[in-house]
Amino acid sequence: MTHRLMAEVSELPAIPESSVQAYTENLAAMVEKVNKIMSSRADIGLLIGENPLQLMFENHKNHALFMGNVFALGQYALLIQTVAWAYRTYHSRGFAYAYFPAHLQAWRIALGETLAEDTAGPLIRIYDWMLSRHEEFIALSEETRSVSPQPDQAWKEICNGFVQALIQGDKARVMELGQEAVQSAQDLPVFYLQVVQPAMYAVGEMWERGEISVAKEHLASALVNRLMSAQYIELVRPQGEKRGRAVVSAAANEFHEVGATMVANSLELDGWEVEYLGANMPQDDFLDFVSAYQPDIVALSAALASNLTAVQSVIQHISAWPGKRPKIMVGGLAFQGVSGLAQQLGADGYARDCAQAVQLARTWQEQQV
Ligand code: B12
């Protein structure tokens, strides 16, 4: 079904630059209109169930940021994937399927009222198409439950135990499992890939199915961060000669940082001098930092598709610098499942996980010698 929807949507006319710009510049005003239209509906209780209006408002804001990225990049694979995800996730929290056409209709009205007719037209066509494919999106959302990467057989039990300890907030067990699995620095990347990453994806799927709260998701990631910090302090030691310098960071508005931390630590373990800047890094400060530090490699992470244009903007700025510029690698969940995205954003390379990021960095280093 995804292929059929892809074929249909890619036949729609491309969105002109002026419409993309108008959409992005008027996001806040349109979100406010959509919120007003939706919250004044008599049937709102039926549409969003017992959920607070705030959750719906948050969806409208996320929708706007996300659609701005889809329009700017012309990436309809992202659209189909994420709309199906939104149907699944909000429906499992008690939103009726009827909420989705209602909110898309509200967007049509907000677009028509806020933007000039010729700029709104091409955008409204995409909303009309989404509205016309409501039944297909319901089917797709039920069909494509995302499947987390699974650990190898030997790690399955440990990973399952780790997931349980994380969502129960069992600090002692989390630390114990970490200590048992990681005896030396060399064990760290395997532990990241066979235990922590699949465990966090499983936590995400539990949240998506409405089985755990956002608080539990925070608890799990806070515990993982504490464990990874303890392991880092104990095991990662400065080495002699360095392969080169790297700056690792999550994009602006990107609060997911566990993956970027793994990339930073793995590069450091492999002998790179790494500056790790963490989550939600504002663009201008990031560019200043990179310009002053002069790394060989910049590594940017994005989990949310709505942060892809932020990644693209950083890449465009760095690429425009005169003289030698760092190689730029990108990664994170937002890039998974959409081929060619890294190249489209102008990155020099993409790596699926922290081990591949290390390989890519080595390849670049060898090419320089
Ligand atoms: C923990 C978590 C959070 C925490 C993050 C806290 C923190 N300090 O990091 C909090 C609670 C803040 C959060 C917030 C949100 N989250 Co959240 N979150 C997660 C969760 C469960 C785990 C993330 C994680 O740690 N993954 C483990 C790491 C190791 O995996 P990774 O990031 O993919 O990294 C690996 C590779 O991708 C790669 N890689 C990563 N970065 C880079 C960079 C480079 C350069 C390279 C080469 C490679 C690379 O290497 C890494 C290691 O191998 C995910 C589920 C998931 N599948 O990831 C959802 C998930 C990402 N979140 C999601 C959502 C929707 C949100 C929110 C919008 C709503 C919410 N849940 O509260 C907000 C958005 C906040 C924002 N603006 O960023 C969705 C996104 C869905 C989508 N289609 O867009 C997910 C997938 C959950 C789900 N199943 O629905 N979240």
Side-chain angles (χ1 to χ4, degrees):
M1 170 145 18
T2 309
H3 292 307
R4 189 157 60 77
L5 292 178
M6 256 319 277
E8 279 181 18
V9 77
S10 45
E11 293 215 335
L12 295 173
I15 308 288
E17 183 54 43
S18 54
S19 298
V20 176
Q21 203 178 335
Y23 189 88
T24 317
E25 283 169 359
N26 290 282
L27 275 191
M30 290 193 292
V31 168
E32 210 170 295
K33 270 196 184 142
V34 172
N35 287 348
K36 225 183 206 160
I37 295 170
M38 291 300 290
S39 49
S40 60
R41 284 181 67 122
D43 61 350
I44 189 65
L46 291 175
L47 296 179
I48 69 167
E50 311 256 289
N51 290 292
L53 284 173
Q54 198 49 44
L55 185 64
M56 175 179 77
F57 296 160
E58 223 151 85
N59 179 46
H60 298 160
K61 194 175 119 212
N62 290 339
H63 170 87
L65 291 171
F66 167 71
M67 290 301 286
N69 275 261
V70 168
F71 293 142
L73 300 171
Q75 271 292 355
Y76 295 115
L78 282 177
L79 177 77
I80 291 166
Q81 197 171 291
T82 309
V83 171
W85 169 86
Y87 269 63
R88 181 167 59 243
T89 306
Y90 283 89
H91 186 63
S92 69
R93 281 179 163 56
F95 280 58
Y97 281 132
Y99 158 77
F100 295 98
H103 111 104
L104 294 173
Q105 284 287 2
W107 272 100
R108 266 187 114 266
I109 297 170
L111 281 161
E113 285 180 3
T114 316
L115 309 185
E117 209 179 320
D118 56 330
T119 40
L123 304 168
I124 288 178
R125 268 200 287 280
I126 302 287
Y127 278 88
D128 282 343
W129 177 79
M130 287 195 274
L131 276 162
S132 74
R133 291 295 169 260
H134 175 58
E135 293 303 328
E136 284 81 352
F137 276 121
I138 295 178
L140 194 62
S141 73
E142 288 167 353
E143 187 180 287
T144 55
R145 201 162 274 296
S146 39
V147 182
S148 299
Q150 294 300 308
D152 296 345
Q153 195 57 35
W155 289 95
K156 269 211 162 104
E157 216 180 301
I158 296 168
C159 184
N160 290 341
F162 194 72
V163 174
Q164 288 314 312
L166 287 178
I167 58 174
Q168 284 159 11
D170 187 345
K171 281 187 280 239
R173 187 70 188 134
V174 167
M175 298 301 153
E176 196 176 59
L177 285 168
Q179 266 166 357
E180 280 169 14
V182 181
Q183 311 285 324
S184 73
Q186 278 62 44
D187 299 332
L188 265 183
V190 178
F191 180 65
Y192 288 167
L193 289 175
Q194 297 291 339
V195 180
V196 184
Q197 181 167 343
M200 290 307 282
Y201 277 48
V203 166
E205 290 198 1
M206 288 163 130
W207 172 82
E208 194 178 313
R209 291 194 297 265
E211 291 166 9
I212 60 166
S213 63
V214 170
K216 289 273 183 181
E217 199 188 14
H218 273 258
L219 178 71
S221 45
L223 273 173
V224 159
N225 277 327
R226 290 161 96 178
L227 172 65
M228 285 170 64
S229 300
Q231 290 173 326
Y232 174 84
I233 288 168
E234 196 185 323
L235 299 170
V236 183
R237 295 270 166 270
Q239 311 219 342
E241 202 173 321
K242 297 287 174 194
R243 290 182 187 275
R245 293 173 172 206
V247 173
V248 181
S249 180
N253 193 40
E254 183 59 71
F255 288 81
H256 299 95
E257 61 176 328
V258 176
T261 310
M262 287 183 184
V263 171
N265 293 355
S266 303
L267 287 172
E268 200 161 332
L269 273 171
D270 198 48
W272 293 83
E273 192 173 320
V274 178
E275 293 294 357
Y276 173 51
L277 306 184
N280 185 25
M281 185 62 211
Q283 172 175 291
D284 290 350
D285 285 302
F286 183 70
L287 292 171
D288 287 347
F289 184 89
V290 173
S291 156
Y293 186 66
Q294 300 215 330
D296 304 283
I297 291 173
V298 165
L300 283 167
S301 178
L304 301 180
S306 49
N307 292 330
L308 287 168
T309 47
V311 172
Q312 184 182 40
S313 176
V314 168
I315 297 174
Q316 282 169 348
H317 276 87
I318 294 181
S319 304
W321 286 346
K324 185 173 173 276
R325 66 159 187 88
K327 289 268 197 191
I328 304 173
M329 65 165 83
V330 292
L333 201 62
F335 293 89
Q336 285 175 21
V338 186
S339 62
L341 203 48
Q343 289 92 318
Q344 186 187 353
L345 301 194
D348 299 300
Y350 160 77
R352 201 186 52 222
D353 59 38
C354 54
Q356 283 201 358
V358 167
Q359 287 311 320
L360 183 59
R362 281 192 184 199
T363 309
W364 285 346
Q365 187 205 9
E366 280 155 19
Q367 283 167 357
Q368 285 222 316
V369 179

